[in-house]
């Protein structure tokens, strides 16, 4: 919300992709490292181009821009590390799980319960000390949020949950690093939404818009290389 979807997702989720792939690969190396890390490098390049494109805009104050980018980086680091803990709890061979390790479906359930319970802690903290605007009381959940708004939130959670479950199930044949890396292809959808739907770069110069095209090209190339790393 602070930096815009076209910036927050490529920077935050792009950073998460890099960290997640590197951390999970060295914990459980699967795939051709040359193609895998070439794909990661392409994603890093896309992040840099996106940050430079955003810096050329004059629609937000410098203070707000910096805050949004910093939040995106912090979120990216957190997102890049959590998958390793999920992977460490799971069996390395889904067909023959070892004692004390979770299967993919059990891991999904345990992970979902953890998300649900921790949301009361983190949501309460951010509501009391928001990054932007005044504190938000709990009564606003009922007073300002109608059934339609809550349904949109539930739908978003369901979509993300299906994606996370698919990523965990795919990690068996694909490997944790590749499964996690490909799951971050959602960055492309979010960035396209920010550019095409919310029109966050309509005021940008033609040169900046061309660089955005290069950024998307780098993301696609990076994801393609990550796929090739498993089949090569």
């Amino acid at each position: 919300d602070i930096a815009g979807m076209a910036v927050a997702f490529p920077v935050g989720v792009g950073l998460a992709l890099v960290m997640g792939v590197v951390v999970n690969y060295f914990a459980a190396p699967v795939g051709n490292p040359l193609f895998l890390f070439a794909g990661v490098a392409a994603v890093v390049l896309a992040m840099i181009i996106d940050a430079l494109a955003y810096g050329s805009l004059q629609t937000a104050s410098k203070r707000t821009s910096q805050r949004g980018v910093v939040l995106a980086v912090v979120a990216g680091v957190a997102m890049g590390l959590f998958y390793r803990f999920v992977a460490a709890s799971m069996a390395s061979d889904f067909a023959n799980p070892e004692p004390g390790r979770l299967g993919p479906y059990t891991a999904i359930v345990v992970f979902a319960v953890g998300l649900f319970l921790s949301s009361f802690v983190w949501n309460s903290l951010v509501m009391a000390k928001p990054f932007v605007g005044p504190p938000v009381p709990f009564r606003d959940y009922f007073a300002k949020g109608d059934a339609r708004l809550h349904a949109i939130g539930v739908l978003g959670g369901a979509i993300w949950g299906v994606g996370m479950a698919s990523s965990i199930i795919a990690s068996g044949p694909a490997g944790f690093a590749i499964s996690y890396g490909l799951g971050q292809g959602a960055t492309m959808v979010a960035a396209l939404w920010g550019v095409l739907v919310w029109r966050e770069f309509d005021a940008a110069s033609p040169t900046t818009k061309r660089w955005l095209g290069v950024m998307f090209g780098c993301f696609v190339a990076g994801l393609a290389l990550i796929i090739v790393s498993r089949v090569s």
Side-chain angles (χ1 to χ4, degrees):
D1 183 58
I2 297 173
M5 290 182 69
V7 173
F9 272 79
V11 173
V13 185
L15 179 60
L17 186 153
V18 173
M19 292 188 61
V21 169
V22 171
V23 170
N24 284 283
Y25 181 82
F26 282 107
V30 176
N32 186 313
L34 178 62
F35 288 110
L36 181 62
F37 290 107
V40 171
V43 172
V44 172
L45 181 58
M47 290 168 51
I48 295 172
I49 293 173
D50 183 76
L52 293 174
Y54 181 68
S56 67
L57 294 178
Q58 304 297 323
T59 57
S61 69
K62 184 177 181 181
R63 180 181 178 185
T64 301
S65 301
Q66 291 176 341
R67 181 184 300 177
V69 172
V70 168
L71 284 172
V73 170
V74 172
V77 171
M79 291 172 63
L81 294 177
F82 87 91
Y83 200 84
R84 172 84 301 261
F85 296 103
V86 178
S89 72
M90 295 169 58
S92 56
D93 183 358
F94 291 171
N96 299 290
E98 56 264 37
R101 295 294 185 95
L102 302 176
Y105 297 101
T106 307
I108 293 167
V109 173
V110 173
F111 184 74
V113 171
L115 279 179
F116 176 74
L117 296 177
S118 64
S119 67
F120 291 98
V121 177
W122 295 113
N123 282 6
S124 299
L125 289 174
V126 178
M127 288 169 67
K129 297 290 184 181
F131 296 109
V132 176
V136 181
F138 281 98
R139 64 175 176 273
D140 282 1
Y141 181 87
F142 302 98
K144 296 185 178 181
D146 56 23
R148 177 178 176 275
L149 286 176
H150 291 316
I152 292 173
V154 171
L155 176 62
I159 293 172
W160 187 90
V162 170
M164 180 64 183
S166 301
S167 177
I168 289 177
I169 294 168
S171 64
F176 290 111
I178 294 172
S179 178
Y180 178 80
L182 291 179
Q184 305 314 305
T187 310
M188 291 295 302
V189 177
L192 282 170
W193 193 272
V195 171
L196 300 178
V197 178
W198 296 115
R199 305 288 183 180
E200 293 171 349
F201 280 85
D202 275 4
S205 66
T207 300
T208 298
K209 293 178 180 179
R210 283 193 292 270
W211 278 114
L212 283 175
V214 175
M215 181 269 288
F216 284 120
C218 288
F219 255 113
V220 172
L223 295 176
L225 286 167
I226 292 173
I227 294 173
V228 172
S229 72
R230 185 65 179 95
V231 298
S232 61

